[in-house]
Amino acid sequence: WNDAIDTVSKLSETAKNAIHVCDSETDSYALLVDLSKKEHRFIIRGCYDRALVNGKSLRQEFAGETSLFSKEIHLSRRNKKSGGPNNKRLVKRDARNAIVDIKTKKITLKRSNCVDRKHPLSLDINAVFLLEKNPPKDEKPVEWILLTQEPIDSHQDIEKIIEYYCSRWLIEEYFKVLKTGCSYEKRQLE
């Protein structure tokens, strides 16, 4: 991931201002540190309930925070995929609009023991926490933790972060069309 982001950022002057929007598969302490150090702009959806230097976990930290505002977001349909039943990415879901409560906080992540010691013991980062208010019956509430160095000082800043993250699905659909509909990979184009 790091190499791909570095490559995109070197492509042009315009790309230097790009915001790299990544799903939870990229939630890596080492990547967060490297992107921050290189001053890349990013929004990464957290996958782990990371430890903070204050002794709490991310979810514990946000449990005591007051919601700043609520927002309606669109959740795309998800087909069930093979895999374990505990993997929330594999659970089938109909498309719907969800009302989420939004909280933000400047936090300091703690380096876990499994991360290379060359990385600093802690990382200051901004977090935007979204939790669905009233999920449909028999559905788990949608919960996102967006990690970023983008500012979270105003309502407008927070809305932008959420909007950028939500655009990820449109980007994924575009690449799906290139790969499957246009058979881009089969054509061996460079």
Side-chain angles (χ1 to χ4, degrees), residues 45-130:
R45 181 170 162 196
C47 180
Y48 306 107
D49 193 15
R50 293 192 173 280
L52 306 180
V53 294
N54 66 9
K56 294 181 181 179
S57 72
L58 272 170
R59 285 185 181 86
Q60 289 170 335
E61 186 72 15
F62 278 109
E65 294 295 311
T66 305
S67 176
L68 299 173
F69 61 95
S70 295
K71 178 179 177 59
E72 183 175 54
I73 60 171
H74 178 73
L75 301 172
S76 58
R77 181 176 64 88
R78 185 170 53 208
N79 293 324
K80 185 176 181 181
K81 298 178 184 172
S82 61
N86 294 330
N87 188 335
K88 59 187 173 184
R89 283 191 200 111
L90 304 179
V91 177
K92 184 177 178 179
R93 175 181 72 202
D94 291 329
R96 71 175 191 266
N97 289 336
I99 304 294
V100 293
D101 280 336
I102 298 163
K103 304 173 183 183
T104 64
K105 193 157 191 171
K106 295 175 191 285
I107 58 170
T108 305
L109 298 175
K110 179 181 174 184
R111 182 185 73 203
S112 68
N113 294 333
C114 63
V115 174
D116 192 322
R117 294 189 186 280
K118 73 178 182 178
H119 297 294
L121 288 170
S122 64
L123 174 66
D124 293 329
I125 199 161
N126 295 327
V128 178
F129 183 78
L130 292 83

Side-chain angles (χ1 to χ4, degrees), residues 34-57:
D34 288 344
L35 295 179
S36 298
K37 194 184 305 181
K38 294 174 184 175
E39 297 183 355
H40 288 305
R41 298 176 72 192
F42 63 88
I43 300 166
I44 294 178
R45 181 170 162 196
C47 180
Y48 306 107
D49 193 15
R50 293 192 173 280
L52 306 180
V53 294
N54 66 9
K56 294 181 181 179
S57 72

Side-chain angles (χ1 to χ4, degrees), residues 9-51:
S9 296
K10 290 176 187 173
L11 287 175
S12 71
E13 285 300 313
T14 309
K16 287 182 181 175
N17 230 1
I19 298 177
H20 304 278
V21 180
C22 307
D23 200 5
S24 57
E25 290 140 348
T26 59
D27 181 8
S28 155
Y29 184 83
L31 179 63
L32 292 167
V33 167
D34 288 344
L35 295 179
S36 298
K37 194 184 305 181
K38 294 174 184 175
E39 297 183 355
H40 288 305
R41 298 176 72 192
F42 63 88
I43 300 166
I44 294 178
R45 181 170 162 196
C47 180
Y48 306 107
D49 193 15
R50 293 192 173 280

